[in-house]
């Protein structure tokens, strides 16, 4: 499970940072990915990042400000030209469906795949046999949501050394044991799944927040997460300015991470006033509050490790 940051700048792009978009790459054996926000130029970033639009399964939009949204129409149009592009689901605030309908109507776009737009409210917004996604509204100048992605518990790993001792050869029998079934060997011995499969693995939790001032829902969505993505538009000491624009300082992001008890914080959405050297100084400041803080940059990849 991995997050790839396709854009990390707030408001407008810079020479080194594009506007906001994050790819959530699904763990093996799945080879698809989801997008969180699609700022202008997101499809160009995907080309450089090696992610193909026919593998895109879901898009989650936090809010309708342009630096999080303006790349969406072009991306959806281009996806038509990718062989094997199946149904795509888009989640976001009220108004998203109308936004797309107007653009498609006046530009004559015809998509070659099924598109479903789900306008979200607080609560569980998506669920399948792999993940549950919960949304809650944050505090910003427009309706804005954060998303909590919870991986369902996973089956334990096969204990290969024990299988070798028992004389179980790799092949279909491994699959049966992995599924919880018992098997009978050629010599009549029975091997149960419980004998050779380790304990169930807990699911991982990733929280991706949209633009927000510090609020209770940010803490609730992030509670115990293995990785939290939080905006850090402004530096510590600029709290008044951050509040005026519906944003957070990097110190406030660190305080949210500490209050929520997350394992790791990745900060993004930096004001264009901060170059890479300044961002490094911001992170050093945040680490005095929450040591496990890292700054995202365009094309940065962060693995989501399983809690032990």
């Amino acid at each position: 499970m991995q997050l790839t940051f396709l854009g990390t700048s707030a408001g407008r792009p810079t020479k080194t940072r594009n506007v906001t978009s994050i790819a959530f790459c699904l763990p093996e054996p799945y080879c698809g990915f989801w997008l969180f926000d699609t700022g202008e130029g997101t499809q160009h970033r995907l080309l450089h990042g090696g992610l193909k639009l026919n593998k895109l399964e879901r898009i989650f939009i936090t809010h309708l400000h342009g630096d999080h949204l303006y790349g969406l129409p072009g991306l959806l149009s281009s996806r038509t030209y990718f062989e094997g592009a199946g149904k795509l689901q888009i989640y976001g605030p009220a108004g998203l469906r109308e936004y797309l309908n107007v653009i498609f109507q006046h530009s004559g776009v015809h998509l070659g795949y099924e598109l479903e737009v789900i306008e979200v409210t607080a609560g569980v917004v998506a669920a399948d046999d792999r993940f549950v996604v919960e949304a809650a509204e944050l505090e910003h100048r427009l309706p804005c949501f954060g998303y909590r992605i919870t991986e369902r518990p996973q089956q334990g790993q096969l204990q290969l050394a024990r299988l070798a001792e028992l004389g179980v050869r790799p092949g279909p029998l491994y699959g049966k044991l992995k599924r919880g079934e018992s098997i009978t060997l050629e010599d009549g011995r029975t091997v149960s799944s419980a004998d050779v499969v380790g304990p169930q693995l807990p699911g991982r939790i990733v929280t991706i927040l949209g633009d927000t001032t510090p609020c209770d829902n940010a803490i609730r969505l992030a509670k115990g997460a293995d990785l939290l993505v939080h905006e850090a538009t402004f530096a510590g000491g600029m709290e008044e300015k951050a509040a005026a624009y519906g944003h957070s300082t990097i110190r406030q992001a660190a305080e949210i991470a500490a209050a929520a008890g997350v394992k790791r914080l990745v900060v993004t959405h930096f004001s264009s006033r901060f170059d890479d050297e300044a961002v490094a100084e911001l992170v050093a400041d945040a680490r005095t509050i929450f040591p496990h803080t890292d700054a995202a940059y365009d094309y940065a990849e962060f693995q989501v490790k399983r809690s032990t």
Side-chain angles (χ1 to χ4, degrees):
M1 189 188 294
Q2 173 181 293
L3 292 184
T4 300
F5 285 78
L6 303 173
T8 55
S9 180
R12 60 185 176 88
T14 70
K15 290 183 178 179
T16 58
R17 294 179 183 271
N18 198 41
V19 284
T20 298
S21 184
I22 303 170
F24 176 73
C25 302
L26 302 176
E28 293 182 352
Y30 316 105
C31 56
F33 70 99
W34 302 348
L35 282 176
F36 287 81
D37 287 335
T38 54
E40 181 182 358
T42 293
Q43 66 173 313
H44 295 276
R45 288 315 217 221
L46 288 171
L47 291 173
H48 291 286
L51 296 170
K52 296 183 178 180
L53 286 174
N54 57 355
K55 301 297 184 181
L56 176 61
E57 298 180 2
R58 289 172 170 161
I59 299 175
F60 296 86
I61 301 297
T62 60
H63 64 296
L64 303 186
H65 273 150
D67 58 326
H68 296 252
L69 182 67
Y70 285 168
L72 183 58
L75 184 152
L76 295 178
S77 178
S78 293
R79 190 172 183 267
T80 291
Y81 299 98
F82 281 75
E83 185 177 353
K87 179 179 179 179
L88 179 64
Q89 294 175 310
I90 304 180
Y91 305 79
L96 179 59
R97 183 181 294 108
E98 181 183 6
Y99 169 81
L100 290 174
N101 286 343
V102 168
I103 289 177
F104 292 159
Q105 177 186 347
H106 291 286
S107 63
V109 170
H110 297 283
L111 302 181
Y113 55 89
E114 181 183 355
L115 179 68
E116 182 182 8
V117 179
I118 301 102
E119 294 186 338
V120 303
T121 55
V124 173
V125 297
D128 56 27
D129 60 352
R130 302 170 296 176
F131 298 97
V132 176
V133 183
E134 179 186 359
E137 192 164 354
L138 305 173
E139 294 185 8
H140 191 48
R141 289 171 293 154
L142 286 181
C144 183
F145 287 88
Y147 296 98
R148 177 183 176 93
I149 308 105
T150 302
E151 181 185 33
R152 295 189 188 276
Q154 303 296 297
Q155 288 183 316
Q157 297 179 338
L158 287 172
Q159 299 176 347
L160 300 181
R162 179 58 177 156
L163 287 166
E165 290 176 4
L166 294 171
V168 182
R169 297 178 181 178
L173 295 181
Y174 275 25
K176 289 185 176 182
L177 291 166
K178 185 74 173 176
R179 292 191 296 271
E181 302 175 22
S182 296
I183 62 170
T184 301
L185 302 181
E186 293 180 356
D187 60 9
R189 287 179 298 145
T190 298
V191 178
S192 71
S193 175
D195 293 334
V196 293
V197 176
Q200 189 179 64
L201 301 174
R204 290 162 284 188
I205 300 172
V206 177
T207 299
I208 300 175
L209 302 181
D211 294 357
T212 187
T213 57
C215 62
D216 291 341
N217 274 347
I219 297 174
R220 187 174 67 80
L221 286 173
K223 198 72 174 179
D226 295 285
L227 190 150
L228 165 64
V229 178
H230 198 295
E231 67 131 291
T233 309
F234 294 103
M238 301 178 71
E239 284 75 19
E240 186 174 341
K241 189 176 186 68
Y245 287 92
H247 289 297
S248 298
T249 69
I250 194 166
R251 292 181 67 87
Q252 289 173 325
E255 289 165 355
I256 292 292
V262 306
K263 308 298 188 302
R264 187 179 190 186
L265 168 66
V266 178
V267 285
T268 185
H269 199 266
F270 302 107
S271 167
S272 59
R273 74 187 68 203
F274 301 120
D275 59 16
D276 289 348
E277 183 177 348
V279 168
E281 293 175 358
L282 297 182
V283 170
D285 185 28
R287 285 175 176 168
T288 64
I289 299 171
F290 188 78
H292 304 293
T293 302
D294 292 290
Y297 55 87
D298 287 24
Y299 302 118
E301 297 177 348
F302 292 90
Q303 298 291 329
V304 184
K305 297 182 179 179
R306 197 179 301 277
S307 299
T308 56

